[in-house]
């Protein structure tokens, strides 16, 4: 076999049409072997003798796409010093573009023998672990163009590749649960009709099913357990894992782009699947443990701000390079449109504190590729001081956990929530205005993958996670949920009617709020997980989306009826720029117009303008909000003035019906277009209402009145 010196960059395996360049970083290893794996179980070892700045490299002519390979690191195995090299362990390439196979959790994949944590295990892991794959980088993108949807026109839809598609009756069986299913017309048409502009995919980086879960007959369904930051997860490919997963993922992105739908990835750069000091040796640990991980004062152990056993060392230049190279790869080669960063506060931890000026944010800010896509933070982790909602740099948007909590509290009837609800409804200026950000920094959501579904939020007071095998100890215990009078499934028609109305309240509030709305997959059908609020390990029908078929009525909430309501609320938002302002409200009339009305006004149910005591009254659970479509201060893309209809939003979060008096000086005549007390709540030709009229809203409902411009 010919072995040429090759190049130290780019890292990973790079096929150029004639052969493949291999490059891998390790400062801890004394020497590195590249192992070419053959289908008969044998391997050919090639020592990487060339080294530049601790990057070992070689070019092998004739090595083609589909070739499986791994590395063996020869060097010190001294856990007390944080060094864990062991040439018996076949290691994944940290820059592998594809990964083949699975882990069978034989003792050989661990650095120690079971029951003897201080021992050294020299069993060969190659027959029991995954392999890296050389991929063909060439792909016909055709006339693909990124949609580049502005944030104010964005509607996000969080979904799981398998969960969204596994049970769809219109999908061929062999495509269900795969990237190819995302590209299928039935999925794309559903998203288009729903008004979705961005599909936010739960983790698709190659991840690992934990040993413990496999032993218990469960799986790491959610995928927050990454081992390959460049490789699409191979189990979601319908036709092979020797690089086919890369082509299939690219094809899905191309099809979604053609439909005008962006693809955003939920990425997990805060930890890896190698776990704590008792975890397996799969890649980073064996190559250079102290360069990749945050080690404790006793370097046998790992610092953990993620709750997963380890945290990546964010002050290491090699970790930062890995993350930035990965992000750029997914944008330039896989053509995704943005990222949602799991436990993003961990990325900001250079030492112990969360530092908004950390190296990671500096690198993102100046990167000409990554800085131009959508960047969304999950702004918390499990470490001290980890709740950082509102504290990320101006380039970033955030999952607004305070929006979720406040909206849940309002509709379940918690006292003294009006003042904060007003801020959340109008874009959370208290969180984002001071640092130059706009309402669009707030990604608003009521539910997501983590926690109750929307159906379960109104059906359960308590979590019911027994299926997870942890005696219901896992998952959040305080969910701000309310079962509407009966725990779980019920035949009580009054409870069912109230639950359906509450779901409509949540959807309507979400679509009427300033910021960027995000739906969780299946909520538009009333999807249930039977009260399980932590279905991370349930790769089965409990967590998959059950699609309603034409003529079928949903189990309790009227799935097709609810779907129609969600569609109409999304399109009401998309049709009216007054609900998706790019700037915060001023609370005063717009300069340069004859309109004397403020751009926003707040009223009590009696039609009187809100005063300070009204906001703070413990019993207050109702208000009206006037949105002036003639006072939108931000211009259109060509500098033109934007004008819209005006709207009056009526919120009654009391448990009983309440009368609302339409203000007398903000419009003579209105038309009711939304009433969540009505299952067909978005109505064309709804009742006309005049200034000074009194409307009766049933308990826990909202109404929207529209006045033409």
């Amino acid at each position: 076999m010919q072995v040429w010196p090759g190049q130290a960059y780019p890292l990973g395996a790079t096929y150029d049409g004639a052969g493949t360049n291999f490059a891998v970083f390790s400062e801890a290893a004394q020497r590195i072997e590249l192992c070419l794996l053959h289908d008969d179980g044998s391997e050919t070892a090639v020592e990487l003798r060339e080294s530049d700045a601790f990057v070992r490299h070689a070019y092998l002519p004739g090595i083609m796409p589909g070739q499986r390979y791994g590395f063996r690191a020869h060097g010190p195995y001294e856990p007390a010093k944080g060094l864990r090299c062991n040439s018996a362990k076949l290691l994944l390439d940290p820059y592998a573009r594809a990964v083949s196979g699975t882990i069978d959790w034989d003792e050989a994949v661990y650095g120690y023998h079971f029951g003897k944590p201080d021992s050294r295990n020299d069993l060969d892991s190659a027959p029991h672990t995954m392999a890296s794959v050389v991929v063909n980088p060439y792909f016909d993108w055709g006339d693909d163009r990124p949609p580049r949807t502005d944030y104010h026109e964005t509607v996000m839809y969080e979904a799981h590749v398998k969960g969204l598609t596994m049970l769809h009756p219109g999908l061929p069986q062999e495509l269900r649960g795969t990237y190819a299913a995302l590209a299928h017309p039935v999925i794309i048409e559903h998203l288009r009709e729903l008004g979705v502009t961005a599909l936010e995919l739960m983790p698709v980086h190659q991840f690992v099913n934990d040993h413990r879960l496999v032993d218990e007959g469960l799986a790491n369904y959610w995928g927050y357990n990454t081992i390959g930051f460049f490789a699409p997860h191979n189990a979601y490919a319908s036709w092979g894992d020797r690089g086919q997963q890369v082509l299939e993922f690219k094809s899905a992105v191309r099809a979604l782009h053609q439909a005008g739908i962006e693809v955003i990835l939920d990425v997990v750069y805060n930890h890896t699947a190698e776990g704590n000091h008792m975890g397996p040796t799969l890649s980073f640990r064996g190559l250079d443990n102290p360069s990749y991980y945050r080690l404790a004062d006793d370097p046998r152990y790992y610092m953990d701000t993620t709750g997963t056993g380890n945290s990546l060392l964010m002050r290491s230049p090699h970790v930062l390079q890995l993350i930035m190279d990965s992000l750029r790869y997914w944008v330039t080669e896989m053509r995704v449109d943005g990222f949602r960063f799991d436990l993003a506060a961990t990325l900001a931890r250079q030492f112990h504190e969360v530092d908004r000026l950390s190296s990671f944010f500096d690198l993102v800010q100046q990167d000409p590729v990554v800085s131009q896509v959508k960047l969304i933070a999950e702004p918390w982790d499990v470490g001290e001081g980890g709740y950082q909602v509102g504290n990320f740099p101006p380039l970033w948007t955030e999952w607004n956990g305070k929006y979720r909590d406040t909206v849940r509290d309002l509709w379940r009837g918690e006292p003294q929530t009006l003042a904060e609800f007003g801020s959340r409804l109008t874009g959370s200026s208290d969180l984002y205005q001071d640092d130059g950000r706009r309402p669009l920094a707030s990604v608003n959501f009521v539910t997501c993958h983590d926690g109750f579904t929307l159906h379960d939020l109104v059906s359960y007071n308590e979590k019911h996670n027994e299926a997870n095998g942890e005696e219901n100890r896992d998952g959040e215990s305080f969910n701000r949920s309310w079962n509407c009078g009966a725990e779980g499934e019920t035949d009580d028609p009054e409870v069912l009617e109230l639950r359906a109305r509450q779901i409509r309240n949540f959807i309507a509030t979400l679509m009427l709020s300033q910021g960027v709305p995000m739906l969780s997959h299946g909520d538009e059908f009333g999807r249930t997980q039977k009260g399980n609020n932590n279905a991370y390990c349930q790769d089965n029908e409990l967590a998959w989306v059950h699609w309603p078929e034409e003529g079928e009525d949903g189990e309790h909430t009227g799935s097709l009826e609810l779907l129609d309501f969600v569609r109409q609320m999304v399109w009401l938002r998309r049709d009216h720029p007054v609900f998706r302002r790019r700037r915060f409200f001023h609370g005063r009339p717009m300069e340069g117009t004859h309109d004397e009305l403020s751009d926003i006004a707040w009223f009590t149910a009696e039609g009187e303008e809100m005063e300070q005591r009204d906001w703070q009254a413990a019993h207050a659970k109702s208000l009206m909000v006037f949105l002036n479509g003639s006072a939108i201060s931000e211009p259109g893309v060509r500098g033109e003035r934007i004008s819209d209809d005006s709207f009056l939003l009526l919120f009654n979060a009391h448990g009983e019906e309440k009368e609302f008096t339409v203000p007398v000086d903000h419009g003579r005549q209105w038309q009711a277009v939304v009433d969540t007390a009505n299952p067909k709540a978005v109505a064309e030709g709804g009742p006309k209402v005049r200034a000074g009229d009194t409307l009766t809203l049933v308990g826990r409902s909202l109404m929207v009145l529209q006045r033409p411009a």
Side-chain angles (χ1 to χ4, degrees):
M1 176 180 293
Q2 293 187 47
V3 180
W4 299 351
Q7 302 293 327
Y9 187 86
L11 289 161
T14 306
Y15 173 68
D16 63 5
T20 302
N21 190 82
F22 295 89
V24 61
F25 160 78
S26 176
E27 187 173 351
Q30 293 163 348
R31 61 189 185 92
I32 298 281
E33 283 182 314
L34 165 68
C35 297
L36 303 177
L37 307 177
H38 309 301
D39 290 343
D40 62 2
S42 64
E43 63 182 61
T44 300
V46 177
E47 184 169 349
L48 302 182
R49 299 182 182 278
E50 298 293 328
S51 178
D52 294 293
F54 301 109
V55 175
R56 272 62 167 218
H57 54 87
Y59 180 91
L60 274 60
I63 297 299
M64 308 297 284
Q67 173 66 58
R68 296 181 303 128
Y69 71 97
F71 296 114
R72 295 188 186 274
H74 298 259
Y77 182 81
E78 301 178 51
K81 296 181 180 179
L83 300 171
R84 295 178 179 269
C85 296
N86 184 340
S87 61
K89 309 307 171 188
L90 185 75
L91 305 175
L92 285 172
D93 181 356
Y95 278 70
R97 268 54 170 181
V99 171
S100 175
T102 59
I103 300 171
D104 65 11
W105 294 117
D106 186 88
E107 186 179 46
V109 301
Y110 291 85
Y112 59 93
H113 291 284
F114 292 164
K116 300 177 181 179
D118 293 328
S119 63
R120 172 177 170 137
N121 181 343
D122 288 322
L123 296 172
D124 184 7
S125 69
H128 309 285
T129 191
M130 302 181 289
S132 308
V133 180
V134 177
V135 305
N136 189 340
Y138 305 108
F139 181 77
D140 182 7
W141 284 100
D143 59 356
D144 177 75
R145 295 288 186 276
R148 296 196 181 279
T149 307
D150 289 335
Y151 270 119
H152 70 283
E153 295 178 337
T154 295
V155 175
M156 294 184 181
Y157 185 86
E158 187 198 27
H160 187 283
V161 172
K162 189 172 185 180
L164 178 66
T165 63
M166 196 64 187
L167 299 178
H168 196 296
L171 285 169
Q173 192 69 39
E174 65 272 14
L175 295 187
R176 296 183 183 186
T178 70
Y179 303 120
L182 298 178
H184 195 279
V186 297
I187 297 296
I188 289 179
E189 190 60 27
H190 173 71
L191 298 175
R192 284 172 57 92
E193 290 182 356
L194 195 57
V196 169
T197 69
L199 181 63
E200 183 178 304
L201 294 175
M202 290 174 65
V204 298
H205 286 175
Q206 183 68 48
F207 62 85
V208 171
N209 281 310
D210 312 56
H211 193 169
R212 177 186 69 83
L213 293 176
V214 172
D215 285 349
E216 295 176 5
L218 300 170
N220 195 315
Y221 169 64
W222 283 354
Y224 292 94
N225 203 30
T226 306
I227 196 63
F229 295 107
F230 294 78
H233 187 58
N234 57 21
Y236 297 155
S238 64
W239 53 291
D241 69 358
R242 298 284 186 95
Q244 294 94 332
Q245 60 264 56
V246 178
L247 300 177
E248 192 170 322
F249 183 87
K250 289 179 177 180
S251 297
V253 172
R254 183 178 59 190
L256 288 159
H257 281 181
Q258 288 173 349
I261 299 171
E262 294 183 306
V263 178
I264 295 172
L265 301 188
D266 192 338
V267 290
V268 190
Y269 292 111
N270 50 69
H271 73 281
T272 80
E274 291 185 302
N276 62 17
H277 63 289
M278 301 296 286
T281 298
L282 305 176
S283 178
F284 308 91
R285 171 176 284 139
L287 282 169
D288 196 328
N289 191 53
S291 286
Y292 281 112
Y293 293 115
R294 296 187 70 190
L295 303 182
D297 292 337
D298 182 342
R300 288 177 298 178
Y301 306 110
Y302 297 83
M303 294 189 65
D304 178 17
T305 58
T306 64
T308 61
N310 65 56
S311 300
L312 283 172
L313 182 62
M314 294 307 297
R315 64 176 184 268
S316 164
H318 303 287
V319 170
L320 291 171
Q321 180 186 5
L322 173 82
I323 294 174
M324 296 306 298
D325 284 349
S326 170
L327 292 171
R328 277 191 297 270
Y329 173 79
W330 285 94
V331 175
T332 59
E333 296 296 322
M334 308 296 265
R335 299 207 180 182
V336 303
D337 305 283
F339 304 95
R340 178 264 189 191
F341 292 80
D342 177 65
L343 301 180
T346 291
L347 300 175
R349 291 182 184 272
Q350 289 193 299
F351 296 96
H352 297 280
E353 74 291 346
V354 176
D355 177 7
R356 62 177 294 165
L357 298 178
S358 73
S359 300
F360 173 69
F361 296 120
D362 292 344
L363 289 172
V364 169
Q365 182 75 34
Q366 59 80 42
D367 190 277
V369 173
V370 180
S371 65
Q372 298 306 302
V373 300
K374 288 183 168 68
L375 301 171
I376 306 164
E378 182 187 33
W380 49 78
D381 65 15
V382 300
E384 182 179 353
Y387 192 77
Q388 294 291 318
V389 174
N391 291 333
F392 277 71
L395 194 64
W396 291 68
T397 61
E398 300 175 14
W399 270 26
N400 191 343
K402 292 187 176 182
Y403 178 94
R404 171 200 59 204
D405 296 345
T406 302
V407 171
R408 288 186 179 190
D409 279 349
L410 176 83
W411 286 115
R412 72 190 180 106
E414 285 296 292
Q416 293 184 317
T417 59
L418 272 191
E420 186 164 3
F421 175 70
S423 179
R424 304 296 157 247
L425 182 73
T426 54
S428 297
S429 60
D430 58 323
L431 299 177
Y432 304 116
Q433 191 169 30
D434 288 347
D435 58 10
R437 287 191 282 178
R438 301 247 171 115
L440 304 169
S442 177
V443 175
N444 299 329
F445 66 105
V446 178
T447 57
C448 63
H449 70 274
D450 190 2
F452 282 141
T453 67
L454 193 51
H455 171 279
D456 292 358
L457 185 69
V458 301
S459 304
Y460 295 90
N461 285 349
E462 308 295 336
K463 63 184 180 182
H464 296 268
N465 298 354
E466 290 80 8
N468 296 355
E470 299 181 46
E471 299 181 347
N472 207 33
R473 293 190 301 268
D474 64 301
E476 176 61 57
S477 296
F478 181 49
N479 294 280
R480 292 183 161 89
S481 63
W482 178 48
N483 64 20
C484 297
E487 185 73 0
E489 307 306 322
T490 181
D491 295 325
D492 188 323
E494 291 188 5
V495 172
L496 295 178
E497 193 280 328
L498 176 56
R499 288 178 178 177
R501 189 163 72 248
Q502 285 284 74
I503 288 175
R504 292 192 292 270
N505 288 336
F506 283 123
I507 292 293
T509 303
L510 180 64
M511 293 304 157
L512 297 171
S513 299
Q514 305 297 325
V516 181
M518 185 185 77
L519 295 165
S520 180
H521 70 181
D523 275 351
E524 69 270 31
F525 307 126
R527 180 176 78 91
T528 179
Q529 292 179 167
K530 308 300 183 184
N532 191 317
N533 74 348
N534 189 34
Y536 77 100
C537 56
Q538 299 296 327
D539 188 3
N540 52 53
E541 293 198 14
L542 179 69
W544 300 341
V545 173
H546 290 254
W547 291 75
E549 298 190 52
E550 201 64 38
E552 173 194 348
D553 198 31
E555 188 173 352
H556 293 302
T557 56
S559 56
L560 293 174
E561 195 171 63
L562 174 60
L563 174 60
D564 186 57
F565 174 70
V566 176
R567 284 172 176 164
Q568 293 192 60
M569 286 305 308
V570 173
W571 284 100
L572 178 70
R573 174 189 182 83
R574 291 190 67 177
D575 288 343
H576 292 284
V578 75
F579 296 126
R580 39 188 179 83
R581 296 280 303 264
R582 304 198 310 275
R583 298 176 182 169
F584 289 110
F585 290 101
H586 301 293
R588 60 178 183 270
M590 181 178 171
E591 296 179 3
T593 70
H594 299 294
D595 191 341
E596 298 179 356
L597 298 178
S598 173
D599 59 354
I600 188 171
W602 306 85
F603 300 91
T604 64
E606 291 74 31
E608 303 294 331
E609 291 214 34
M610 296 272 285
E611 298 182 2
Q612 190 62 33
R613 66 174 184 273
D614 299 316
W615 289 108
Q616 303 302 327
H619 65 278
K621 298 174 186 175
S622 61
L623 79 163
M624 287 188 287
V625 187
F626 168 73
L627 303 179
N628 189 350
S630 299
I632 298 175
S633 58
E634 57 268 29
V637 293
R638 294 178 175 84
E640 75 278 13
R641 184 187 167 200
I642 298 175
S643 183
D644 192 13
D645 297 344
S646 295
F647 290 85
L648 193 65
L649 316 181
L650 290 66
F651 295 89
N652 179 23
H654 290 272
E656 61 281 345
E657 67 178 30
K658 189 171 183 63
E659 290 189 343
F660 285 72
T661 301
V662 179
V664 297
D665 54 358
H666 282 69
R668 294 182 181 179
Q669 185 162 302
W670 301 82
Q671 182 173 16
V673 293
V674 178
D675 181 1
T676 59
N678 181 351
K680 301 184 184 299
V682 184
E684 291 185 6
K688 301 238 183 326
V689 180
R690 298 185 64 84
D693 285 356
T694 298
L695 296 169
T696 301
L697 270 66
V698 303
R700 293 192 171 86
S701 71
L702 72 82
M703 186 178 289
V704 178
L705 307 181
Q706 181 177 1
R707 189 196 75 193

